[in-house]
Amino acid sequence: EAVVTDRVVEEPWAVSKVRPGERVLDVGSATSRFLRDLPAGCSVYAIDLRPTPPQPGIAVVRADLMRAPFRPGSFDVVTCVSTLEHIGLDVYGQGPDEFGDEVAMRHLRRLLRPGGRLLLTAPFGRRAVSAWLRVYDRAKFRQLTAGYRPLSTTYHRRESDRFLPCRREELD
Protein backbone atom coordinates (compact mmCIF):
# COMPACT_ATOMS: atom_id res chain seq x y z
CA GLU A 1 0.00 0.00 0.00
CA ALA A 2 1.36 3.42 -0.97
CA VAL A 3 1.89 5.92 1.82
CA VAL A 4 0.59 9.41 1.08
CA THR A 5 2.82 12.15 2.48
CA ASP A 6 2.93 15.92 2.28
CA ARG A 7 5.29 15.58 -0.68
CA VAL A 8 2.28 14.99 -2.96
CA VAL A 9 1.57 18.70 -2.53
CA GLU A 10 5.08 20.05 -1.95
CA GLU A 11 6.94 18.57 -4.89
CA PRO A 12 4.56 19.67 -7.69
CA TRP A 13 4.45 23.12 -6.06
CA ALA A 14 8.26 23.37 -6.10
CA VAL A 15 8.46 22.23 -9.74
CA SER A 16 5.87 24.84 -10.74
CA LYS A 17 7.99 27.65 -9.26
CA VAL A 18 11.25 26.89 -11.14
CA ARG A 19 11.86 28.52 -14.53
CA PRO A 20 13.74 26.98 -17.47
CA GLY A 21 17.48 27.53 -17.37
CA GLU A 22 17.81 28.38 -13.68
CA ARG A 23 20.59 27.14 -11.38
CA VAL A 24 18.83 25.12 -8.67
CA LEU A 25 20.09 23.68 -5.39
CA ASP A 26 17.95 21.13 -3.58
CA VAL A 27 18.72 20.75 0.12
CA GLY A 28 18.01 17.40 1.78
CA SER A 29 17.92 15.56 -1.54
CA ALA A 30 18.10 11.92 -0.50
CA THR A 31 14.34 11.55 -0.96
CA SER A 32 13.75 14.25 -3.60
CA ARG A 33 12.09 12.65 -6.61
CA PHE A 34 10.89 15.89 -8.17
CA LEU A 35 14.28 17.08 -9.42
CA ARG A 36 13.92 15.10 -12.64
CA ASP A 37 10.70 17.04 -13.34
CA LEU A 38 12.29 20.51 -13.25
CA PRO A 39 12.07 22.57 -16.46
CA ALA A 40 14.49 22.03 -19.33
CA GLY A 41 17.85 23.71 -19.21
CA CYS A 42 18.12 23.91 -15.42
CA SER A 43 21.48 23.20 -13.81
CA VAL A 44 20.50 21.11 -10.81
CA TYR A 45 22.58 20.38 -7.72
CA ALA A 46 21.56 18.27 -4.76
CA ILE A 47 23.07 18.31 -1.27
CA ASP A 48 22.38 15.97 1.64
CA LEU A 49 24.16 14.48 4.64
CA ARG A 50 22.79 11.08 3.68
CA PRO A 51 23.80 9.00 0.69
CA THR A 52 21.71 10.23 -2.23
CA PRO A 53 20.96 7.99 -5.20
CA PRO A 54 22.37 9.40 -8.43
CA GLN A 55 19.86 10.94 -10.80
CA PRO A 56 20.64 11.72 -14.44
CA GLY A 57 21.55 15.35 -15.00
CA ILE A 58 21.86 16.18 -11.28
CA ALA A 59 25.15 16.95 -9.53
CA VAL A 60 24.87 15.17 -6.18
CA VAL A 61 27.00 16.37 -3.26
CA ARG A 62 27.13 14.51 0.05
CA ALA A 63 27.86 17.32 2.50
CA ASP A 64 26.54 19.39 5.37
CA LEU A 65 24.66 22.50 4.25
CA MET A 66 26.63 24.52 6.82
CA ARG A 67 29.80 23.66 4.89
CA ALA A 68 28.33 23.56 1.40
CA PRO A 69 31.06 23.65 -1.28
CA PHE A 70 29.40 26.44 -3.28
CA ARG A 71 30.30 30.10 -3.61
CA PRO A 72 27.92 32.73 -2.23
CA GLY A 73 25.22 33.70 -4.74
CA SER A 74 25.62 30.49 -6.76
CA PHE A 75 21.92 29.72 -7.21
CA ASP A 76 18.80 31.30 -8.69
CA VAL A 77 16.59 28.95 -6.67
CA VAL A 78 17.10 26.85 -3.55
CA THR A 79 14.49 24.22 -2.78
CA CYS A 80 14.16 23.08 0.82
CA VAL A 81 11.23 20.65 0.78
CA SER A 82 10.39 18.94 4.09
CA THR A 83 13.98 19.45 5.27
CA LEU A 84 14.37 22.56 7.43
CA GLU A 85 12.36 21.05 10.27
CA HIS A 86 15.00 18.30 10.68
CA ILE A 87 18.19 20.39 10.53
CA GLY A 88 20.07 20.39 13.82
CA LEU A 89 18.09 17.54 15.35
CA ASP A 90 19.71 14.27 16.38
CA VAL A 91 17.87 12.23 13.76
CA TYR A 92 20.60 12.65 11.13
CA GLY A 93 23.51 12.73 13.55
CA GLN A 94 24.09 16.47 13.24
CA GLY A 95 22.64 17.64 16.53
CA PRO A 96 21.35 18.43 18.86
CA ASP A 97 21.48 22.09 17.91
CA GLU A 98 18.32 23.94 18.85
CA PHE A 99 19.25 26.73 16.43
CA GLY A 100 20.18 24.47 13.49
CA ASP A 101 17.18 25.59 11.45
CA GLU A 102 17.99 29.27 12.02
CA VAL A 103 21.63 28.79 11.02
CA ALA A 104 20.50 26.84 7.95
CA MET A 105 18.28 29.73 6.84
CA ARG A 106 21.30 32.07 6.92
CA HIS A 107 23.30 29.59 4.81
CA LEU A 108 20.44 29.28 2.31
CA ARG A 109 20.34 33.07 1.93
CA ARG A 110 24.12 33.14 1.36
CA LEU A 111 23.83 30.59 -1.45
CA LEU A 112 21.09 32.54 -3.27
CA ARG A 113 22.01 35.22 -5.79
CA PRO A 114 20.51 38.66 -5.13
CA GLY A 115 16.84 38.36 -6.08
CA GLY A 116 17.02 34.55 -5.91
CA ARG A 117 14.13 32.50 -4.55
CA LEU A 118 13.92 30.07 -1.66
CA LEU A 119 11.18 27.46 -2.12
CA LEU A 120 10.55 26.32 1.45
CA THR A 121 8.04 23.86 2.86
CA ALA A 122 7.71 22.96 6.54
CA PRO A 123 5.13 21.67 9.02
CA PHE A 124 2.97 24.47 10.39
CA GLY A 125 0.57 24.47 13.31
CA ARG A 126 1.01 24.27 17.06
CA ARG A 127 4.73 24.72 17.76
CA ALA A 128 6.48 21.53 18.84
CA VAL A 129 9.92 19.95 18.75
CA SER A 130 10.70 16.23 18.90
CA ALA A 131 13.84 14.21 18.22
CA TRP A 132 12.61 13.86 14.63
CA LEU A 133 11.17 17.24 13.59
CA ARG A 134 9.93 20.70 14.43
CA VAL A 135 6.45 22.06 13.81
CA TYR A 136 6.46 25.82 13.34
CA ASP A 137 3.88 28.29 14.55
CA ARG A 138 3.35 31.71 12.99
CA ALA A 139 5.82 33.54 15.27
CA LYS A 140 8.65 31.05 14.75
CA PHE A 141 8.10 30.88 11.01
CA ARG A 142 8.13 34.67 10.79
CA GLN A 143 11.41 34.69 12.75
CA LEU A 144 12.96 32.06 10.45
CA THR A 145 12.00 33.90 7.29
CA ALA A 146 12.95 37.39 8.48
CA GLY A 147 14.76 39.13 5.66
CA TYR A 148 13.04 37.05 3.00
CA ARG A 149 10.16 38.57 1.02
CA PRO A 150 7.30 36.07 0.70
CA LEU A 151 6.07 35.76 -2.88
CA SER A 152 3.35 33.29 -1.94
CA THR A 153 2.22 31.31 1.07
CA THR A 154 -0.12 28.35 0.99
CA TYR A 155 -1.36 25.96 3.67
CA HIS A 156 -2.65 22.40 3.46
CA ARG A 157 -4.12 20.09 6.06
CA ARG A 158 -4.20 16.33 5.99
CA GLU A 159 -7.59 14.67 5.82
CA SER A 160 -7.39 10.90 5.76
CA ASP A 161 -5.17 10.12 2.75
CA ARG A 162 -5.41 13.58 1.12
CA PHE A 163 -3.96 17.04 1.64
CA LEU A 164 -6.47 19.83 1.17
CA PRO A 165 -5.80 23.56 0.75
CA CYS A 166 -6.91 25.60 3.73
CA ARG A 167 -6.56 28.96 5.44
CA ARG A 168 -3.91 29.43 8.12
CA GLU A 169 -6.64 29.93 10.71
CA GLU A 170 -7.84 26.37 10.11
CA LEU A 171 -4.51 25.02 11.33
CA ASP A 172 -4.44 26.62 14.79
Side-chain angles (χ1 to χ4, degrees):
E1 179 179 321
V3 176
V4 176
T5 71
D6 44 0
R7 288 187 178 260
V8 302
V9 173
E10 295 169 327
E11 291 181 348
W13 171 81
V15 168
S16 77
K17 300 296 182 186
V18 176
R19 300 176 196 127
E22 291 187 306
R23 282 181 57 92
V24 179
L25 173 66
D26 182 58
V27 177
S29 303
T31 58
S32 297
R33 306 284 180 257
F34 69 96
L35 299 177
R36 65 180 176 256
D37 298 327
L38 293 176
C42 288
S43 297
V44 183
Y45 298 79
I47 187 170
D48 201 311
L49 287 170
R50 302 166 292 169
T52 301
Q55 295 187 48
I58 298 167
V60 175
V61 177
R62 186 171 179 191
D64 187 331
L65 172 65
M66 311 312 183
R67 293 180 262 314
F70 306 110
R71 290 191 318 249
S74 292
F75 298 97
D76 301 304
V77 176
V78 172
T79 59
C80 189
V81 175
S82 287
T83 299
L84 184 69
E85 64 268 22
H86 304 293
I87 296 176
L89 298 178
D90 255 348
V91 69
Y92 296 116
Q94 62 179 155
D97 178 355
E98 76 176 283
F99 303 107
D101 53 351
E102 294 175 31
V103 173
M105 289 294 284
R106 287 195 297 272
H107 283 277
L108 296 174
R109 183 186 333 271
R110 181 182 62 78
L111 293 171
L112 282 167
R113 68 164 173 78
R117 298 179 324 281
L118 170 62
L119 304 179
L120 175 68
T121 69
F124 184 88
R126 214 168 274 120
R127 189 168 174 194
V129 179
S130 71
W132 164 245
L133 65 84
R134 297 175 186 90
V135 176
Y136 299 103
D137 62 9
R138 185 177 190 160
K140 182 62 177 179
F141 206 74
R142 188 178 296 135
Q143 176 192 357
L144 280 172
T145 58
Y148 287 91
R149 183 175 53 94
L151 300 176
S152 68
T153 304
T154 59
Y155 301 92
H156 289 77
R157 71 173 185 282
R158 185 178 189 138
E159 248 183 51
S160 185
D161 64 346
R162 301 180 304 160
F163 285 84
L164 302 173
C166 64
R167 295 184 321 272
R168 187 197 65 77
E169 297 78 29
E170 295 177 69
L171 300 173
D172 290 336

